[in-house]
Amino acid sequence: MDKKTLSRDGTPIAYEISGQGPAVILVSGAMSTGGTVAPLGALLADRFTVIGYDRRGRGASGDTAPYAVEREVEDLAALIDAVGGEACLYGISSGGALVLEAVASGLPVRRAAVYEVPFADFSEQGAKERAAYTENLTAALAEGRRGDAVELFLTLTGMAPEMIRGARQSPMWAGMEAVAPSLAYDDAVMGGGLLPRERLASVSVPVLAVAGGASPDWLREAARGGGCGATGVVPEPGGSDPHGGSERPGPGARRVLHAVATARALHAVARAGHFRP
């Protein structure tokens, strides 16, 4: 990230720009930074000005207590202002929930697209599981148990216990613990994990919600609920389910499959002209 802008509360937000054309800001999800979505940005750089950034509390961006979802909306407002005063937004997972909140807040967004926002309404026992996650995550972070916080999140995503045990022994674990406090931010952005129907009713700009074809039914249903205008399902490589299922590849393979699926979704959104004026 070679650029910085100041959010309304003075927090520095790190970002980078590539390509040329209409501005599209990529919003990452939990345990992610702007670097995580950089490969996705490369797909758009030949037709769009792509902005990747580190959300507050991670990467090269700063952080200012106390946290509030409104501060992250202000971060996006500062980025939009820095790149010309208007932009499209593309959010992944909980980053998609932040995009929906930003659009509902009235930011100067022409169009938006979100990929697999995990609203728990459509998952059996989803609301109950989400409430338990919030309670346990809050306790773990308050007691300084960052590793336990990361494990809670990975469990929520459907990762098998033996995979989590293996991940704890891997070199990547320290980096995951480093950004663990930001898990509380994503949890707040998800707002209890339920689809904010009343909030979305005020959205007047087109929002395309996309899900992977091999993802669980509840994620595809969540996409149908979160799209203000259109929804879509994108085929994934090899029929693998990056969110869990009968065939569970290793953690590294799961990340690759999820990246490929997300890249296909983003490319499909761009190819369909959703970000064009």
Side-chain angles (χ1 to χ4, degrees), residues 57-248:
R58 61 193 88 183
S61 289
D63 199 6
T64 303
Y67 175 82
V69 175
E70 291 78 9
R71 303 293 83 77
E72 290 220 65
V73 172
E74 291 169 0
D75 297 345
L76 280 170
L79 285 168
I80 292 172
D81 186 61
V83 299
E86 186 180 66
C88 298
L89 302 179
Y90 180 82
I92 302 164
S93 192
S94 54
L98 178 56
V99 164
L100 293 175
E101 176 58 29
V103 172
S105 296
L107 295 194
V109 176
R110 287 193 300 105
R111 294 171 181 268
V114 297
Y115 181 71
E116 294 195 344
V117 184
F119 292 123
D121 313 49
F122 307 94
S123 173
E124 186 177 355
Q125 299 296 316
K128 182 177 180 180
E129 290 176 357
R130 192 80 204 192
Y133 168 76
T134 298
E135 180 179 356
N136 293 330
L137 177 68
T138 300
L141 291 176
E143 296 166 9
R145 296 183 285 111
R146 292 190 176 193
D148 291 346
V150 174
E151 182 169 333
L152 283 167
F153 171 72
L154 295 179
T155 300
L156 184 69
T157 68
M159 184 175 285
E162 61 271 18
M163 293 182 180
I164 296 175
R165 287 193 294 270
R168 274 186 173 270
Q169 305 304 314
S170 72
M172 69 178 183
W173 193 259
M176 296 175 75
E177 287 193 359
V179 297
S182 67
L183 287 171
Y185 301 177
D186 285 279
D187 188 52
V189 165
M190 287 300 300
L194 301 180
L195 182 69
R197 290 176 173 82
E198 292 186 8
R199 187 70 167 143
L200 294 181
S202 64
V203 173
S204 59
V205 302
V207 177
L208 175 65
V210 184
S215 294
D217 290 342
W218 69 270
L219 271 175
R220 295 199 293 275
E221 287 299 319
R224 293 184 180 97
C228 306
T231 61
V233 175
V234 178
E236 295 180 2
S240 297
D241 174 6
H243 295 273
S246 58
E247 296 183 13
R248 293 178 180 268

Side-chain angles (χ1 to χ4, degrees), residues 20-41:
Q20 188 172 7
V24 179
I25 299 176
L26 307 182
V27 185
S28 63
M31 306 295 293
S32 301
T33 65
T36 309
V37 296
L40 309 185

